[in-house]
Amino acid sequence: MEFTYEQVFPNEDLPFKMFLFEGGNGNYFREKHWHSSVEIFAVFKGNINFYLNNRLYPLGEGQFLLANSNEIHSICAPEPNYTLVLQIPLETFDGYFTGEKFIRFAHRNEKYDCKVIKLLEKIFTTYQKKDYGYVLEVKGDYFYLLHLLVTEYRRTDITPDMLEANYNLNRLSVITSYMKENFKEDLSLEELAETFGYAPSYLSRMFQKYAGINYKSYLQDIRLRHAFQELLNSRHTISETALNNGFPNSKAFSREFRKKYGMLPSEYRKKEL
């Protein structure tokens, strides 16, 4: 299993991030990841399979799913779809937390679900048209959406296990952000543990327990993601791509690439040409 922490930045003109799902053309799979923002996936056409905490939630036209802060999730979209993604910074809910920087939402009934899906469609349509004063209209609808979330979807039945997992994933988020910035370096578990003031064995257990993956596999996944993009978007040789992204040699890169994508980097490059 490969879980990654995803950093989320709002649109330049909005207090939240909104975009069309990148798997809209189908034949798409986004591996398990988490982020601090609250995320809404709203399907307007087609369908997708949303996996939240290892449970499958099939989403069809006119349905949406709420992914809470630090909930591990993945998305599978085998067929074309038209899906909106809206990501709300966790700090937006300051004053409504049920624990230390913790808030949890869940579906209640279809009455409010219909309101939310229509509101999301209106927000996106207004934003696309960009008529005079559109930002004010979008923000007005967005704040109404927030009101619905905290009044109709917020849950207060929070368990100690939920709070502990959230706390530790927040700690891991800081560490994984550092790893993403320094993945090209020889980043050992011992060096990382010393940087953040943990014993190596304790940090290793944190990764395994709360992210479901060991430290080395997580680091390799970051490197592989960047190497894949370089392979796709540059003329660098396989060896250059490997060394540019933290792999010791092309053999190690090719081995990891084949595990993940079912073919060698050279085979993939020929396929895409």
Side-chain angles (χ1 to χ4, degrees):
M1 292 188 294
E2 300 168 345
F3 298 1
T4 59
Y5 174 72
E6 177 185 294
Q7 290 180 297
V8 174
F9 301 97
N11 296 42
E12 288 185 4
D13 52 351
L14 298 175
F16 58 94
K17 184 174 182 179
M18 180 171 60
F19 57 94
L20 287 177
F21 175 47
E22 59 187 8
N25 292 327
N27 193 27
Y28 175 90
F29 181 74
R30 175 70 165 94
E31 293 166 346
K32 291 181 178 181
H33 61 286
W34 80 93
H35 41 71
S36 62
S37 296
V38 174
E39 186 169 51
I40 302 175
F41 269 74
V43 180
F44 296 146
K45 291 181 182 179
N47 59 79
I48 64 173
N49 291 322
F50 202 99
Y51 295 86
L52 187 64
N53 298 324
N54 293 320
R55 180 178 174 184
L56 169 61
Y57 294 87
L59 297 178
E61 186 173 331
Q63 294 181 311
F64 73 94
L65 187 135
L66 283 159
N68 291 295
S69 173
N70 289 334
E71 281 191 321
I72 296 171
H73 55 282
S74 62
I75 307 101
C76 178
E79 303 295 334
N81 62 89
Y82 189 70
T83 301
L84 178 69
V85 184
L86 193 146
Q87 296 170 324
I88 306 170
L90 183 60
E91 293 73 19
T92 302
F93 300 104
D94 189 21
Y96 298 93
F97 294 136
T98 49
E100 185 179 348
K101 292 198 73 174
F102 184 83
I103 191 167
R104 182 170 178 264
F105 300 103
H107 287 272
R108 290 297 177 96
N109 58 57
E110 292 184 4
K111 172 186 173 183
Y112 292 107
D113 284 359
C114 290
K115 280 187 178 182
V116 169
I117 201 77
K118 288 178 180 178
L119 190 58
L120 290 168
E121 191 168 10
K122 182 175 182 291
I123 288 171
F124 187 61
T125 300
T126 303
Y127 188 71
Q128 279 188 308
K129 288 182 177 179
K130 287 184 167 51
D131 291 335
Y132 184 73
Y134 76 95
V135 171
L136 293 174
E137 185 175 357
V138 167
K139 285 182 178 179
D141 289 331
Y142 170 65
F143 281 110
Y144 179 46
L145 172 65
L146 296 180
H147 177 263
L148 286 175
L149 290 178
V150 299
T151 58
E152 303 300 339
Y153 291 85
R154 177 173 170 265
R155 300 295 296 269
T156 56
D157 50 340
I158 306 304
T159 67
D161 286 346
M162 291 178 186
L163 293 174
E164 181 183 4
N166 180 71
Y167 173 74
N168 283 289
L169 280 169
N170 275 329
R171 289 199 295 171
L172 272 179
S173 297
V174 176
I175 296 169
T176 54
S177 293
Y178 178 86
M179 292 170 68
K180 286 185 176 183
E181 293 173 1
N182 297 277
F183 69 94
K184 296 180 182 181
E185 309 299 326
D186 184 14
L187 199 59
S188 70
L189 175 64
E190 290 72 21
E191 290 170 333
L192 191 68
E194 183 178 356
T195 298
F196 287 93
Y198 297 116
S201 58
Y202 179 78
L203 183 57
S204 178
R205 288 196 299 273
M206 276 182 66
F207 266 91
Q208 197 65 58
K209 181 175 181 180
Y210 295 104
I213 187 173
N214 65 53
Y215 164 80
K216 185 177 180 181
S217 296
Y218 187 88
L219 180 59
Q220 290 291 73
D221 184 63
I222 296 173
R223 289 170 171 167
L224 195 56
R225 285 174 179 272
H226 285 272
F228 179 85
Q229 290 301 319
E230 185 171 323
L231 185 73
L232 196 62
N233 300 308
S234 79
R235 295 185 178 181
H236 295 163
T237 66
I238 305 299
S239 294
E240 288 172 336
T241 301
L243 295 175
N244 288 344
N245 292 281
F247 291 96
N249 50 55
S250 60
K251 185 177 179 180
F253 170 46
S254 296
R255 182 176 62 249
E256 295 300 322
F257 192 96
R258 189 170 191 170
K259 277 184 195 176
K260 188 176 182 71
Y261 299 108
M263 65 182 77
L264 294 170
S266 56
E267 294 172 331
Y268 181 82
R269 177 168 271 176
K270 287 178 183 177
K271 177 175 173 287
E272 293 300 311
L273 289 177

